[in-house]
Amino acid sequence: MNDHDLKQLWQEQDMTLAPLTLDTVKQEVQRTHRRVARRNAMEYAACVLVIAVFGFYITVFPSPLMRAGSALIMLATVFIAWQLHRRASNQALPGAAGEQGWMQHQRAQLARQRDALRSAWLWYVAPLLPGTVLFRWGVEVDLAPGGPFARGWAANLAIALIFGAVALVNWLAARRLQKRLDQLDRDAR
């Protein structure tokens, strides 16, 4: 086969797509619903862990900066959990809706998740910054050199990179959801 034969074969292929069935749409909606519920459960569990750890730090470390930073991180974590519920919780599944109702639900759910992920830097990452800076300041200034936390610019850079990575991962996930939304729009035509 030469290039011309391959081009001709490609141009002559049947491009009709199999129509979406109600069962296929329902399965996709339910899969998205389970994925969001699983992600949110893990996030809520992480929030509980963060609050427990920094609550422990408040009682263990005498440094006022570390205690204040711990308190701010705990407050930020409560705010994050509330925002996660408000912005990214599952919407109720449609009842006896037909295919269009399920498609509209899926599109709305994906758009909701995309919007939450796009803005995660604002409601997920940014609230933790003041407490983290204050806590790290306490580590650098008040904690004895043999303390349990790494010190210096390398440790602070590593924490900054983690915050940046979290923001980037959420942004990339939002882009993937946008591509899925674009595909849904094409399929609906």
PDB file of all heavy atoms in Angstrom, residues 159-177:
ATOM      1  N   ILE A 159       7.801  22.804  50.056  1.00  0.00           N
ATOM      2  CA  ILE A 159       6.395  23.055  50.395  1.00  0.00           C
ATOM      3  C   ILE A 159       5.734  23.907  49.317  1.00  0.00           C
ATOM      4  O   ILE A 159       4.608  23.634  48.897  1.00  0.00           O
ATOM      5  CB  ILE A 159       6.295  23.708  51.791  1.00  0.00           C
ATOM      6  CG1 ILE A 159       6.718  22.696  52.848  1.00  0.00           C
ATOM      7  CG2 ILE A 159       4.887  24.234  52.051  1.00  0.00           C
ATOM      8  CD1 ILE A 159       6.933  23.282  54.219  1.00  0.00           C
ATOM      9  N   ALA A 160       6.423  24.924  48.837  1.00  0.00           N
ATOM     10  CA  ALA A 160       5.882  25.773  47.767  1.00  0.00           C
ATOM     11  C   ALA A 160       5.638  24.946  46.498  1.00  0.00           C
ATOM     12  O   ALA A 160       4.618  25.133  45.816  1.00  0.00           O
ATOM     13  CB  ALA A 160       6.822  26.943  47.476  1.00  0.00           C
ATOM     14  N   LEU A 161       6.557  24.041  46.196  1.00  0.00           N
ATOM     15  CA  LEU A 161       6.383  23.179  45.018  1.00  0.00           C
ATOM     16  C   LEU A 161       5.183  22.249  45.174  1.00  0.00           C
ATOM     17  O   LEU A 161       4.465  21.985  44.208  1.00  0.00           O
ATOM     18  CB  LEU A 161       7.652  22.381  44.748  1.00  0.00           C
ATOM     19  CG  LEU A 161       8.834  23.184  44.214  1.00  0.00           C
ATOM     20  CD1 LEU A 161      10.097  22.305  44.136  1.00  0.00           C
ATOM     21  CD2 LEU A 161       8.516  23.799  42.858  1.00  0.00           C
ATOM     22  N   ILE A 162       4.957  21.775  46.385  1.00  0.00           N
ATOM     23  CA  ILE A 162       3.785  20.926  46.631  1.00  0.00           C
ATOM     24  C   ILE A 162       2.507  21.723  46.395  1.00  0.00           C
ATOM     25  O   ILE A 162       1.577  21.244  45.733  1.00  0.00           O
ATOM     26  CB  ILE A 162       3.823  20.331  48.049  1.00  0.00           C
ATOM     27  CG1 ILE A 162       4.946  19.288  48.132  1.00  0.00           C
ATOM     28  CG2 ILE A 162       2.478  19.722  48.434  1.00  0.00           C
ATOM     29  CD1 ILE A 162       5.262  18.829  49.538  1.00  0.00           C
ATOM     30  N   PHE A 163       2.447  22.950  46.915  1.00  0.00           N
ATOM     31  CA  PHE A 163       1.272  23.799  46.673  1.00  0.00           C
ATOM     32  C   PHE A 163       1.085  24.042  45.179  1.00  0.00           C
ATOM     33  O   PHE A 163      -0.032  23.981  44.664  1.00  0.00           O
ATOM     34  CB  PHE A 163       1.398  25.137  47.410  1.00  0.00           C
ATOM     35  CG  PHE A 163       1.014  25.082  48.860  1.00  0.00           C
ATOM     36  CD1 PHE A 163       1.904  25.473  49.842  1.00  0.00           C
ATOM     37  CD2 PHE A 163      -0.237  24.660  49.255  1.00  0.00           C
ATOM     38  CE1 PHE A 163       1.562  25.440  51.176  1.00  0.00           C
ATOM     39  CE2 PHE A 163      -0.604  24.612  50.588  1.00  0.00           C
ATOM     40  CZ  PHE A 163       0.301  25.003  51.563  1.00  0.00           C
ATOM     41  N   GLY A 164       2.177  24.332  44.483  1.00  0.00           N
ATOM     42  CA  GLY A 164       2.099  24.531  43.036  1.00  0.00           C
ATOM     43  C   GLY A 164       1.642  23.283  42.309  1.00  0.00           C
ATOM     44  O   GLY A 164       0.841  23.358  41.364  1.00  0.00           O
ATOM     45  N   ALA A 165       2.128  22.128  42.735  1.00  0.00           N
ATOM     46  CA  ALA A 165       1.728  20.864  42.102  1.00  0.00           C
ATOM     47  C   ALA A 165       0.240  20.590  42.307  1.00  0.00           C
ATOM     48  O   ALA A 165      -0.444  20.133  41.384  1.00  0.00           O
ATOM     49  CB  ALA A 165       2.564  19.710  42.647  1.00  0.00           C
ATOM     50  N   VAL A 166      -0.272  20.885  43.484  1.00  0.00           N
ATOM     51  CA  VAL A 166      -1.705  20.690  43.746  1.00  0.00           C
ATOM     52  C   VAL A 166      -2.531  21.580  42.819  1.00  0.00           C
ATOM     53  O   VAL A 166      -3.512  21.130  42.212  1.00  0.00           O
ATOM     54  CB  VAL A 166      -2.035  20.962  45.230  1.00  0.00           C
ATOM     55  CG1 VAL A 166      -3.538  21.050  45.454  1.00  0.00           C
ATOM     56  CG2 VAL A 166      -1.415  19.886  46.111  1.00  0.00           C
ATOM     57  N   ALA A 167      -2.125  22.834  42.686  1.00  0.00           N
ATOM     58  CA  ALA A 167      -2.837  23.751  41.788  1.00  0.00           C
ATOM     59  C   ALA A 167      -2.755  23.260  40.344  1.00  0.00           C
ATOM     60  O   ALA A 167      -3.758  23.276  39.620  1.00  0.00           O
ATOM     61  CB  ALA A 167      -2.274  25.162  41.915  1.00  0.00           C
ATOM     62  N   LEU A 168      -1.590  22.799  39.920  1.00  0.00           N
ATOM     63  CA  LEU A 168      -1.404  22.315  38.550  1.00  0.00           C
ATOM     64  C   LEU A 168      -2.230  21.059  38.278  1.00  0.00           C
ATOM     65  O   LEU A 168      -2.888  20.957  37.227  1.00  0.00           O
ATOM     66  CB  LEU A 168       0.074  22.041  38.280  1.00  0.00           C
ATOM     67  CG  LEU A 168       0.410  21.491  36.889  1.00  0.00           C
ATOM     68  CD1 LEU A 168       0.041  22.507  35.809  1.00  0.00           C
ATOM     69  CD2 LEU A 168       1.878  21.114  36.813  1.00  0.00           C
ATOM     70  N   VAL A 169      -2.236  20.119  39.200  1.00  0.00           N
ATOM     71  CA  VAL A 169      -3.000  18.881  39.017  1.00  0.00           C
ATOM     72  C   VAL A 169      -4.487  19.196  38.877  1.00  0.00           C
ATOM     73  O   VAL A 169      -5.179  18.625  38.028  1.00  0.00           O
ATOM     74  CB  VAL A 169      -2.735  17.901  40.187  1.00  0.00           C
ATOM     75  CG1 VAL A 169      -3.772  16.794  40.253  1.00  0.00           C
ATOM     76  CG2 VAL A 169      -1.340  17.322  40.074  1.00  0.00           C
ATOM     77  N   ASN A 170      -4.988  20.110  39.684  1.00  0.00           N
ATOM     78  CA  ASN A 170      -6.397  20.490  39.583  1.00  0.00           C
ATOM     79  C   ASN A 170      -6.695  21.186  38.259  1.00  0.00           C
ATOM     80  O   ASN A 170      -7.731  20.949  37.643  1.00  0.00           O
ATOM     81  CB  ASN A 170      -6.801  21.369  40.768  1.00  0.00           C
ATOM     82  CG  ASN A 170      -7.042  20.548  42.011  1.00  0.00           C
ATOM     83  OD1 ASN A 170      -8.040  19.852  42.113  1.00  0.00           O
ATOM     84  ND2 ASN A 170      -6.114  20.613  42.949  1.00  0.00           N
ATOM     85  N   TRP A 171      -5.789  22.035  37.816  1.00  0.00           N
ATOM     86  CA  TRP A 171      -5.969  22.728  36.532  1.00  0.00           C
ATOM     87  C   TRP A 171      -5.980  21.725  35.374  1.00  0.00           C
ATOM     88  O   TRP A 171      -6.811  21.830  34.469  1.00  0.00           O
ATOM     89  CB  TRP A 171      -4.862  23.770  36.356  1.00  0.00           C
ATOM     90  CG  TRP A 171      -4.951  24.535  35.085  1.00  0.00           C
ATOM     91  CD1 TRP A 171      -5.819  25.554  34.782  1.00  0.00           C
ATOM     92  CD2 TRP A 171      -4.142  24.340  33.917  1.00  0.00           C
ATOM     93  NE1 TRP A 171      -5.593  26.009  33.511  1.00  0.00           N
ATOM     94  CE2 TRP A 171      -4.569  25.276  32.956  1.00  0.00           C
ATOM     95  CE3 TRP A 171      -3.106  23.479  33.605  1.00  0.00           C
ATOM     96  CZ2 TRP A 171      -3.999  25.353  31.696  1.00  0.00           C
ATOM     97  CZ3 TRP A 171      -2.534  23.565  32.350  1.00  0.00           C
ATOM     98  CH2 TRP A 171      -2.976  24.492  31.409  1.00  0.00           C
ATOM     99  N   LEU A 172      -5.079  20.754  35.411  1.00  0.00           N
ATOM    100  CA  LEU A 172      -5.037  19.736  34.357  1.00  0.00           C
ATOM    101  C   LEU A 172      -6.297  18.874  34.371  1.00  0.00           C
ATOM    102  O   LEU A 172      -6.829  18.518  33.313  1.00  0.00           O
ATOM    103  CB  LEU A 172      -3.790  18.860  34.503  1.00  0.00           C
ATOM    104  CG  LEU A 172      -2.460  19.555  34.211  1.00  0.00           C
ATOM    105  CD1 LEU A 172      -1.288  18.650  34.588  1.00  0.00           C
ATOM    106  CD2 LEU A 172      -2.373  19.974  32.751  1.00  0.00           C
ATOM    107  N   ALA A 173      -6.783  18.542  35.548  1.00  0.00           N
ATOM    108  CA  ALA A 173      -8.022  17.772  35.646  1.00  0.00           C
ATOM    109  C   ALA A 173      -9.195  18.576  35.087  1.00  0.00           C
ATOM    110  O   ALA A 173     -10.079  18.015  34.409  1.00  0.00           O
ATOM    111  CB  ALA A 173      -8.285  17.378  37.093  1.00  0.00           C
ATOM    112  N   ALA A 174      -9.208  19.877  35.322  1.00  0.00           N
ATOM    113  CA  ALA A 174     -10.260  20.732  34.758  1.00  0.00           C
ATOM    114  C   ALA A 174     -10.190  20.735  33.232  1.00  0.00           C
ATOM    115  O   ALA A 174     -11.224  20.710  32.555  1.00  0.00           O
ATOM    116  CB  ALA A 174     -10.134  22.153  35.304  1.00  0.00           C
ATOM    117  N   ARG A 175      -8.997  20.741  32.687  1.00  0.00           N
ATOM    118  CA  ARG A 175      -8.840  20.682  31.220  1.00  0.00           C
ATOM    119  C   ARG A 175      -9.370  19.368  30.664  1.00  0.00           C
ATOM    120  O   ARG A 175     -10.005  19.351  29.612  1.00  0.00           O
ATOM    121  CB  ARG A 175      -7.375  20.859  30.835  1.00  0.00           C
ATOM    122  CG  ARG A 175      -6.901  22.288  30.973  1.00  0.00           C
ATOM    123  CD  ARG A 175      -5.559  22.493  30.371  1.00  0.00           C
ATOM    124  NE  ARG A 175      -5.573  22.162  28.954  1.00  0.00           N
ATOM    125  CZ  ARG A 175      -4.494  22.008  28.207  1.00  0.00           C
ATOM    126  NH1 ARG A 175      -3.305  22.175  28.736  1.00  0.00           N
ATOM    127  NH2 ARG A 175      -4.577  21.712  26.945  1.00  0.00           N
ATOM    128  N   ARG A 176      -9.106  18.253  31.363  1.00  0.00           N
ATOM    129  CA  ARG A 176      -9.630  16.958  30.917  1.00  0.00           C
ATOM    130  C   ARG A 176     -11.153  16.959  30.930  1.00  0.00           C
ATOM    131  O   ARG A 176     -11.794  16.442  30.007  1.00  0.00           O
ATOM    132  CB  ARG A 176      -9.099  15.825  31.793  1.00  0.00           C
ATOM    133  CG  ARG A 176      -7.720  15.356  31.425  1.00  0.00           C
ATOM    134  CD  ARG A 176      -7.353  14.034  32.073  1.00  0.00           C
ATOM    135  NE  ARG A 176      -7.558  13.994  33.510  1.00  0.00           N
ATOM    136  CZ  ARG A 176      -6.689  14.405  34.424  1.00  0.00           C
ATOM    137  NH1 ARG A 176      -5.521  14.883  34.057  1.00  0.00           N
ATOM    138  NH2 ARG A 176      -6.972  14.312  35.701  1.00  0.00           N
ATOM    139  N   LEU A 177     -11.732  17.535  31.972  1.00  0.00           N
ATOM    140  CA  LEU A 177     -13.188  17.605  32.032  1.00  0.00           C
ATOM    141  C   LEU A 177     -13.747  18.491  30.924  1.00  0.00           C
ATOM    142  O   LEU A 177     -14.804  18.191  30.363  1.00  0.00           O
ATOM    143  CB  LEU A 177     -13.647  18.106  33.402  1.00  0.00           C
ATOM    144  CG  LEU A 177     -13.519  17.107  34.539  1.00  0.00           C
ATOM    145  CD1 LEU A 177     -13.973  17.735  35.846  1.00  0.00           C
ATOM    146  CD2 LEU A 177     -14.312  15.844  34.257  1.00  0.00           C
TER     147      LEU A 177
END
